[in-house]
Amino acid sequence: MKKIILSLLGGGCLLAAQTGVQAQLLINGAGATFPYPIYSKWFDAYTQVDPSVRFNYQSIGSGGGQKQILARTVDFGASDGPMSDENLAKAPGKILHIPTVAGADVITYNLPGNPKLKLDGDTIVNIFLGNITKWNDPKIAALNPGVDLPNLPMIVVHRSDGSGTSYIFTDYLSNISPVWADSVGKGTSVKWPTGLGGKGNEGVAGTGQAVVGSGWLR
C-alpha cells in the first residue's frame, strides 16, 4: 500500500477580491497525479459548503510537487513518497507531511484476450531490466501453465517525469534485487533500463492502452 503525502508549507494563501462579490480564498497546489481524481471531487464538494474558497491543483507529478513547495510557488504539494531529509533541510519553512489517500502500485498489461497472469518478483525485475523481451518467455510460461501466451514483444511503459509511484516501485525492486539496487536504484526519477516514458499516470495509462503488448504501472 502507498500513502499520498500532502506537504503543507506555512505561508499566506492568495487572496483575490472581486467587485460586488464576496472575497475569495484561492488555495494553490501541485504534485502527484495519482490522487488528482479524488482531489478534484473533494475540492468541488468543499466549494459547495463554502463558495468563498477555490482550489487550483496542477497534476504535475510528485517530483514537481516537491519542487513547487520548496520554491513556495504553491500552498501545498502532493507526493506519493515523503520528502528526503536533504530536501526538507532546503525548505524555507516547516513542512508538515499529512497522509491523505491510500492506494496500491500495480502492474497491468494490454494483451489480446486479457489473460490473468501471475508474475513473481524475479520475473518483474527481469521485465523492467529488459532481460525478458517476449510475453511467451519461458519464465512467464512456467508461472502460468495452461495460459496461451502470445508471441508478442514486451513493451515496458514507465513514468518520464518525477514520480512518487516510481519511487515506491523502484524501492520495491531495490529491496528484492541486488542487481536492480546496484544498477538502477530507487528514486522519483531513475534511468529506466528499457521501455517508453509517459508523463503522469494519465500519460502512462494512455500509452499502455494504445500499445498492444505493453506492461505498465498504475
Side-chain angles (χ1 to χ4, degrees), residues 14 91 119 205-206:
L14 298 177
L119 301 173

Side-chain angles (χ1 to χ4, degrees), residues 7-12 65-77 83-97:
S7 301
L8 300 176
L9 180 60
Q66 293 192 23
K67 290 179 181 178
Q68 295 276 359
I69 196 69
L70 287 174
R72 303 193 76 167
T73 55
V74 294
D75 301 302
F76 71 94
M83 294 180 69
S84 65
D85 291 339
E86 180 182 0
N87 277 340
L88 286 173
K90 298 176 183 177
K94 184 178 181 180
I95 291 181
L96 303 177
H97 287 76

Side-chain angles (χ1 to χ4, degrees), residues 117-139:
L117 302 182
K118 296 179 180 179
L119 301 173
D120 60 14
D122 181 66
T123 303
I124 292 171
V125 168
N126 279 288
I127 287 173
F128 281 84
L129 282 173
N131 297 331
I132 293 179
T133 60
K134 289 289 189 73
W135 282 101
N136 61 350
D137 184 276
K139 289 186 177 180

Side-chain angles (χ1 to χ4, degrees), residues 12-29:
C13 298
L14 298 177
L15 293 172
Q18 299 181 5
T19 304
V21 181
Q22 182 182 5
Q24 290 191 340
L25 174 65
L26 177 61
I27 300 176
N28 291 300

